[in-house]
Amino acid sequence: MCAGRCGGAAGAEGRARAVAVAVALAAALLHAAGPARAEPAGRVAAQAVGRTTAQAVGRVAAQAVGWATAQAAELTRQAEARAAAGETDVALSRYLEAVRFDATYGPAYLGLGALYERAGDLREAERTYTVGLDHVPGFVEGHRARAALRAREGRRGEAIADLEAAVALRGDDAGLLQELAAAYVAAGALPAALGVARRLTALAARAGDAGPAAAARTQARALSVLVAEADPVRAGGRDRGPVRRALAAYAAAPARGQAGAPRREGR
């Protein structure tokens, strides 16, 4: 009897141990698998939060930039009105405040520089244009304003450098090219002026503007006569080879194309 009872007890104890081991094993497996399942979800959540935060920051930054630019534009408008009314000190304060709101707002630098020029402070005006050029990307009008100031002071080389920089940024601006050509002529750089005049001719012809194209051709021909031997196309007299003779004929009559082609000479 004891053997039966003892055997039954031993069997029960064995089953209990087996159940305990199974429970412990299941708990260990769950503990090991839990982080593995939770970690990707955590990463996904963190990435989603990061994206949302970045988007929110981007929206806030864009709104802040837009607001600052709007403030700068309004202050510049006020400054222009005050300057026109002769209230120079108030206009100066408004322009400076506009630049503080948005350091990349070009019109504020132009207005401030012009205000200094009217007051006779050319050094501060030039410094204003230079600061604007340091802060405003592609500031063509800043180059033009500084070029005009430098030209008035007789600093032709520096004025030309500014105009060349402006043309490099906006090469199809006919008015800007005319300014550069005039600056070259004033400096005695006629071959460079001729190059710009030919560029103007090509631009006007491509745009189909008959009047400007004719004016540009006339200017190019006049400069070509003045340049004479310094012109790399026309220089060298009659004995300059068929290629240069053809180029010279085209330079003399670019609109007619073949009309000005030279006659073949006998051998």
Side-chain angles (χ1 to χ4, degrees):
M1 258 181 105
C2 178
R5 285 197 300 271
C6 289
E13 184 179 354
R15 286 194 297 274
R17 280 200 302 270
V19 169
V21 170
V23 169
L25 181 59
L29 289 173
L30 286 172
H31 178 72
R37 286 193 299 270
E39 188 178 353
R43 281 203 304 270
V44 170
Q47 290 169 358
V49 170
R51 283 194 300 270
T52 303
T53 302
Q55 290 167 358
V57 169
R59 284 196 298 271
V60 170
Q63 290 168 358
V65 169
W67 177 82
T69 301
Q71 289 295 108
E74 174 58 23
L75 288 164
T76 299
R77 186 195 65 76
Q78 294 177 16
E80 291 169 351
R82 296 293 186 174
E87 301 175 29
T88 304
D89 291 341
V90 179
L92 178 64
S93 175
R94 294 288 191 275
Y95 279 129
L96 291 173
E97 194 175 355
V99 170
R100 283 194 292 270
F101 266 103
D102 186 353
T104 65
Y105 190 65
Y109 292 104
L110 295 175
L112 182 58
L115 194 67
Y116 283 129
E117 286 196 61
R118 286 195 295 273
D121 193 348
L122 300 185
R123 178 175 297 181
E124 193 62 25
E126 182 173 357
R127 191 188 75 83
T128 298
Y129 297 138
T130 300
V131 172
L133 287 165
D134 289 339
H135 287 83
V136 183
F139 195 18
V140 170
E141 297 307 322
H143 280 297
R144 291 176 97 162
R146 193 171 68 174
L149 185 153
R150 289 172 167 178
R152 284 194 295 273
E153 291 190 312
R155 296 153 61 190
R156 290 175 177 168
E158 292 173 275
I160 287 173
D162 261 322
L163 289 173
E164 288 173 338
V167 167
L169 291 168
R170 193 190 296 162
D172 59 350
D173 187 324
L176 187 56
L177 288 169
Q178 286 285 7
E179 290 178 38
L180 180 58
Y184 281 143
V185 170
L190 297 184
L194 176 57
V196 175
R198 286 173 175 159
R199 185 172 178 178
L200 278 166
T201 302
L203 284 173
R206 187 163 65 241
D209 297 331
R217 281 197 301 273
T218 300
Q219 183 182 22
R221 290 175 186 174
L223 284 168
S224 183
V225 170
L226 290 172
V227 169
E229 292 300 311
D231 183 355
V233 174
R234 299 177 64 85
R238 287 179 55 81
D239 189 18
R240 55 194 171 194
V243 173
R244 292 185 68 179
R245 285 199 300 273
L247 288 172
Y250 182 80
R256 294 198 299 272
Q258 297 290 332
R263 295 189 300 273
R264 293 187 61 184
E265 298 178 0
R267 295 185 180 179

